[in-house]
Amino acid sequence: MWHSRDTEADQRLHTLLSGTALESLSHYASETYLYSRKHGLTERWLTLFDELPAIAASSIDLATQVRIGQADDCTVEQRQALETAARTFMPWRKGPWSLFGIDIDTEWRSDMKWDRLLPHIQPLAGRRVLDVGCGNGYHCYRMLGEGADMVLGVDPHPAYFFQYRLMQHFLRHLSVFVLPITLDKFPDKSGLFDTVFSMGVLYHRRSPIDHLFQLQSCLREGGELVLESLVVDGPDGYALMPDDRYCQMKNVWFLPSVATTESWLKRCGFRDVRTVDVNATDSSEQRSTSWMPFQSLSDGLDPHNPALSIEGLPAPKRAITLATAPQKRN
């Protein structure tokens, strides 16, 4: 049986967090914790790791994409077994990934978002990075590709955690770690990270201000917050709260204007607040694929007017806002 707590990566995470405010977090990657979640597929998914073929990647690219190995690193039979395992963890939402010649065409072209934000953020080389709501860890690997010293991602969904584990099975030597938890598990004022990313999370929080304070508590003094979230047009102070669903999503609470987003950050004490990109989401970036064959963006838009959601609200628009953490108060 595969024991997550015995892997090289988990031991290294424990060592890195030892003696810090986050020391208690490393046990959330353990098999005991996974079973405590009572997800019906945990046993099946754990067993899959015992059956993965042993393949050594001849090369890895995390700087321009996430590519692990080449097609000729493995036999046809090994690649078929690997693809069968990968499809067991569907749906794949964040990517794309290239795994020994298997192209995992995910719902989101997450590389497009990465290309938009990368020119604006502080260089990640040598930094400790936290990615909140990281999904399967795609952006975590891109962060490491930019030279980050260590990247920790958190996302509570078990399927995304096992997608990460599939990749990490072949990348055990890398300091990328994903834990299947929410930010609520973090202790207050941990202050361990140089850069904190929160992308696609704020509008899912019933209390967005509390979320911003949580993000701030994870940053060292002068650390950088990278906040990416849905926005709507409107003046400072304006925020849209859907009556029920937004683009068929059930858990959307507040869609602020860009000015309101910046005001929230300033009210929380962040400095140097600036929005560096606003982009309307379209089907070139988010769509159904054979790796995510369910409803996607097009199903959430008005078929007669793509400028509106199917509920008659403004279609998705996303902003990237950067901010600097304030000096810590005693």
Side-chain angles (χ1 to χ4, degrees):
M1 173 60 69
W2 171 75
H3 294 284
S4 66
R5 61 183 176 275
D6 296 330
T7 65
E8 176 187 342
D10 291 329
Q11 289 296 323
R12 192 162 65 254
L13 175 62
H14 178 75
T15 300
L16 287 169
L17 297 184
S18 180
T20 74
L22 302 182
E23 184 172 2
S24 63
L25 294 184
S26 57
H27 83 276
Y28 287 113
S30 74
E31 196 170 293
T32 301
Y33 177 70
L34 294 175
Y35 278 115
S36 74
R37 299 289 304 277
K38 301 186 186 306
H39 191 282
L41 293 174
T42 296
E43 181 66 46
R44 178 185 177 191
W45 285 344
L46 288 172
T47 302
L48 279 175
F49 285 87
D50 296 326
E51 302 169 353
L52 287 176
I55 310 170
S58 60
S59 62
I60 297 168
D61 180 7
L62 304 180
T64 65
Q65 58 183 315
V66 179
R67 179 183 55 77
I68 304 169
Q70 305 279 0
D72 56 9
D73 291 339
C74 58
T75 66
V76 172
E77 291 76 15
Q78 287 176 322
R79 190 159 52 255
Q80 287 175 340
L82 190 54
E83 180 167 351
T84 297
R87 287 192 177 276
T88 303
F89 300 128
M90 287 170 50
W92 287 77
R93 297 193 180 273
K94 290 188 178 183
W97 308 81
S98 177
L99 183 63
F100 299 106
I102 302 166
D103 292 323
I104 301 177
D105 186 16
T106 51
E107 176 188 18
W108 279 95
R109 284 287 308 275
S110 304
D111 53 331
M112 296 173 68
K113 181 184 299 185
W114 185 249
D115 290 343
R116 288 197 298 270
L117 68 86
L118 188 59
H120 302 286
I121 66 173
Q122 295 179 16
L124 297 179
R127 294 168 81 95
R128 293 166 298 185
V129 181
L130 174 66
D131 186 4
V132 179
C134 68
N136 56 26
Y138 172 83
H139 285 124
C140 295
Y141 287 106
R142 297 304 302 269
M143 294 165 194
L144 197 72
E146 290 299 315
D149 185 57
M150 182 267 278
V151 183
L152 178 64
V154 294
D155 196 292
H157 299 287
Y160 301 158
F161 175 74
F162 281 103
Q163 290 173 6
Y164 151 76
R165 279 295 189 182
L166 177 63
M167 301 304 169
Q168 192 71 0
H169 182 82
F170 302 102
L171 300 172
R172 289 173 175 158
H173 61 291
L174 300 182
S175 292
V176 171
F177 313 95
V178 171
L179 298 178
I181 59 175
T182 66
L183 195 58
D184 296 330
K185 298 289 187 182
F186 276 55
D188 290 338
K189 301 180 181 179
S190 55
L192 181 66
F193 298 96
D194 304 298
T195 304
V196 170
F197 290 80
S198 173
M199 299 191 288
V201 177
L202 187 66
Y203 50 89
H204 291 311
R205 307 302 295 170
R206 286 179 292 182
S207 178
I209 302 300
D210 286 342
H211 180 66
L212 295 179
F213 275 122
Q214 284 181 309
L215 298 172
Q216 186 182 112
S217 74
C218 295
L219 281 163
R220 63 162 173 80
E221 294 180 13
E224 183 170 59
L225 172 65
V226 182
L227 180 70
E228 189 270 353
S229 190
L230 289 171
V231 294
V232 291
D233 295 333
D236 188 7
Y238 178 76
L240 172 66
M241 183 178 183
D243 290 337
D244 183 18
R245 299 190 180 208
Y246 176 72
C247 287
Q248 298 199 30
M249 292 186 290
K250 293 185 291 185
N251 57 341
V252 174
W253 289 90
F254 295 98
L255 304 178
S257 67
V258 169
T260 299
T261 302
E262 294 180 351
S263 291
W264 286 352
L265 287 163
K266 292 173 185 176
R267 180 67 184 271
C268 292
F270 283 97
R271 300 180 289 109
D272 305 321
V273 177
R274 67 267 186 213
T275 298
V276 297
D277 183 83
V278 179
N279 181 74
T281 306
D282 61 32
S283 58
S284 67
E285 187 171 359
Q286 184 187 14
R287 69 275 192 268
S288 300
T289 74
S290 67
W291 290 86
M292 205 299 294
F294 307 114
Q295 288 184 339
S296 189
L297 175 64
S298 62
D299 301 288
L301 299 179
D302 184 330
H304 306 293
N305 183 0
L308 298 176
S309 76
I310 200 166
E311 300 86 5
L313 301 173
K317 183 183 294 185
R318 310 183 79 91
I320 299 169
T321 304
L322 309 182
T324 302
Q327 182 176 355
K328 302 293 184 182
R329 297 178 181 177
N330 295 327

